[in-house]
Amino acid sequence: MNQDDSIAVEYPRNIHEDMVHSSGLRGYLEVMQHLGIDPMPLLAKHGIQLAQLQDDNAWISHTALIQLLEESAQQANCADLGLRISQYQDIGILGVLGLILQSASTLHEVIKYSSDLLFLHGSALRLYINDRVSTDAFEPSSDIVELIFDIQLHDATHILSKRQTMDLGLAVCHRVLRYLSGERYQPLRVALPHSPIAPLNVYKRFFHAEVMIDQQHAALYFHKDMLNITLDNLSSTKSA
């Protein structure tokens, strides 16, 4: 989406509307204020109340969140808004799911629990693993797996771009995995399903990995041996 693209603010008002916990916007206010932009008019325009952002268990329209971040990035002229917001987010935004993930014994279990239960955080969120990687980035016989992140809305009619929200979601996945696995976790490559506005070096510095753009989906690539990383030594003093 170009910087001058207009954004249609229309949200579905039916039982099929996808909702997500407001904790998914943790850090939004701080980042916008740091950028010198008053976030309140934008929140009001997209039907999100300040009280909802102050309650991690509140549900908000996922479409509204996506549109909010896209327009906020434009107004603030901040191409990496999603990545910046992710710095304020950790496993705590997942609530009950976060507690379940911390009970896992291996990284493979973390991914399985996330795949099965991510709806607890947002109905449109998807996370799944593919052990049959097909990309020119790796040899066909290499033991590489990809962790795919996606947002599958019931109605995406009015969504012109999910760039910032996809960046945010993939970044939070990365931070949570690093929190649970420590230095043992390291992606080999990162795939973005769009052409980012921000320079690629911004993404490379964030993920500490090479970045591929305009891919079929958002994904983190790593060696399959990482699935066996044990999480027995998880400490509450860890920081993501």
Side-chain angles (χ1 to χ4, degrees), residues 53-67:
L53 298 191
Q54 296 170 336
D55 177 6
D56 283 350
N57 292 317
W59 291 98
I60 59 176
S61 163
H62 210 145
T63 300
L65 182 150
I66 291 169
Q67 301 276 40

Side-chain angles (χ1 to χ4, degrees), residues 41-230:
L42 285 163
L43 288 172
K45 178 178 179 179
H46 293 276
I48 300 174
Q49 300 174 7
L50 180 60
Q52 291 176 304
L53 298 191
Q54 296 170 336
D55 177 6
D56 283 350
N57 292 317
W59 291 98
I60 59 176
S61 163
H62 210 145
T63 300
L65 182 150
I66 291 169
Q67 301 276 40
L68 171 70
L69 294 188
E70 290 301 317
E71 186 166 1
S72 296
Q74 289 184 19
Q75 283 204 16
N77 193 27
C78 182
D80 61 339
L81 182 68
L83 295 184
R84 295 193 189 200
I85 293 173
S86 75
Q87 301 280 12
Y88 290 81
Q89 300 189 10
D90 54 30
I91 198 169
I93 71 163
L94 299 176
V96 173
L97 176 56
L99 296 176
I100 293 173
L101 296 185
Q102 292 182 80
S103 72
S105 58
T106 65
L107 192 62
H108 187 270
E109 283 191 358
V110 168
I111 295 171
K112 183 181 186 306
Y113 294 163
S114 299
S115 178
D116 292 344
L117 301 172
L118 198 53
F119 70 88
L120 294 173
H121 182 58
S123 59
L125 298 174
R126 302 289 185 271
L127 190 71
Y128 47 97
I129 199 161
N130 173 30
D131 59 3
R132 297 175 181 268
V133 175
S134 177
T135 173
D136 294 337
F138 301 103
E139 295 294 332
S141 60
S142 60
D143 294 328
I144 305 299
V145 296
E146 62 178 342
L147 182 62
I148 300 170
F149 171 76
D150 199 8
I151 302 173
Q152 298 177 7
L153 299 165
H154 281 101
D155 182 1
T157 306
H158 304 293
I159 300 294
L160 299 181
S161 172
K162 296 186 291 187
R163 181 186 283 111
Q164 300 301 331
T165 313
M166 292 298 292
D167 284 357
L168 172 59
L170 192 63
V172 171
C173 287
H174 171 72
R175 284 171 58 78
V176 168
L177 292 178
R178 189 176 66 182
Y179 168 76
L180 293 172
S181 305
E183 296 300 322
R184 296 168 293 177
Y185 161 78
Q186 178 57 53
L188 300 173
R189 287 180 183 262
V190 175
L192 302 177
H194 51 254
S195 181
I197 299 174
L200 273 187
N201 281 339
V202 172
Y203 290 83
K204 291 178 180 179
R205 285 196 300 268
F206 183 93
F207 290 102
H208 300 287
E210 290 299 313
V211 178
M212 304 180 294
I213 65 173
D214 293 320
Q215 299 299 300
Q216 185 176 0
H217 42 241
L220 302 169
Y221 293 86
F222 48 84
H223 195 278
K224 71 175 184 179
D225 286 348
M226 278 186 46
L227 295 174
N228 300 320
I229 290 176
T230 57

